[in-house]
Amino acid sequence: MAIERTLSILKPDATRRNLTGHINAIFEDAGLAVLAQKRILLTRAQAESFYGVHRERGFFNDLVSYMISGPVVAQVLSGEDAVLKNRELMGATDPKKAAEGTIRAQYAESIEANSVHGSDSAENAATEISFFFAEIDIVA
Ligand code: IDP
Ligand code: MG
């Protein structure tokens, strides 16, 4: 096992319901540390760029509109196997399929408004972290 970093986003449905602390407690209880965090309102161009891999998907425009519908909290999480551990804590994309106790099973409103984003590989984590944070912002 290795100490990794991953990029997490608390999505607008989570910030709207004041769940930042609840979700961060789940990360911290599982041994993931929040090394950097900021609450921002993404522009449409920023959201389109972040989710660019999904540009051809039918849900892309709706997803972008949703992601700019309110503030998000972007954060760098760190810990052993952080990428996979965070994906396990998040649960499946569709909350109806998410395992009991996962963040999405507990909090997601829909397959789109599913409360959290998490990088899906260490390589993508590095790219996604640098989308939001400079190295000087990340304090271990
Ligand atoms: P992930 O967030 O679990 O990695 P992805 O397939 O990468 O899931 O999709 C990115 C985001 O796009 C999802 O978290 C969700 O907000 C949205 N999304 C994915 N599939 C659908 C869908 O079928 N309808 C509407 N939104 C979707
Ligand atoms: Mg994904």
Side-chain angles (χ1 to χ4, degrees):
M1 298 226 274
I3 300 294
E4 290 178 337
R5 290 176 177 179
T6 191
L7 190 278
S8 166
I9 303 176
L10 311 185
K11 294 182 176 182
D13 70 276
T15 61
R16 178 170 47 76
R17 288 175 290 155
N18 238 5
L19 293 172
T20 301
H22 283 84
I23 296 173
N24 277 352
I26 292 170
F27 295 144
E28 293 185 340
D29 287 348
L32 295 177
V34 181
L35 299 192
Q37 173 166 267
K38 64 181 169 190
R39 178 173 162 113
I40 53 173
L41 189 57
L42 292 169
T43 66
R44 183 168 292 275
Q46 287 169 335
E48 286 176 351
S49 171
F50 183 79
Y51 274 123
V53 65
H54 294 308
R55 200 171 288 274
E56 304 306 322
R57 307 284 290 275
F59 58 78
F60 180 73
N61 286 330
D62 283 347
L63 172 61
V64 168
S65 295
Y66 158 66
M67 287 298 290
I68 66 173
S69 67
V72 299
V73 176
Q75 37 187 209
V76 178
L77 305 180
S78 172
E80 285 204 348
D81 286 329
V83 172
L84 184 61
K85 184 177 279 183
N86 183 37
R87 295 291 301 193
E88 287 173 356
L89 293 171
M90 289 164 61
T93 309
D94 181 351
K96 293 196 200 99
K97 297 178 183 158
E100 201 181 325
T102 59
I103 294 168
R104 283 165 165 172
Q106 285 185 71
Y107 294 124
E109 296 181 319
S110 67
I111 191 170
E112 177 181 81
N114 59 4
S115 303
V116 281
H117 166 85
S119 308
D120 61 7
S121 70
E123 188 186 354
N124 285 340
T127 306
E128 293 181 358
I129 287 170
S130 65
F131 185 92
F132 287 101
F133 297 99
E135 197 55 39
I136 197 170
D137 298 322
I138 304 168
V139 182

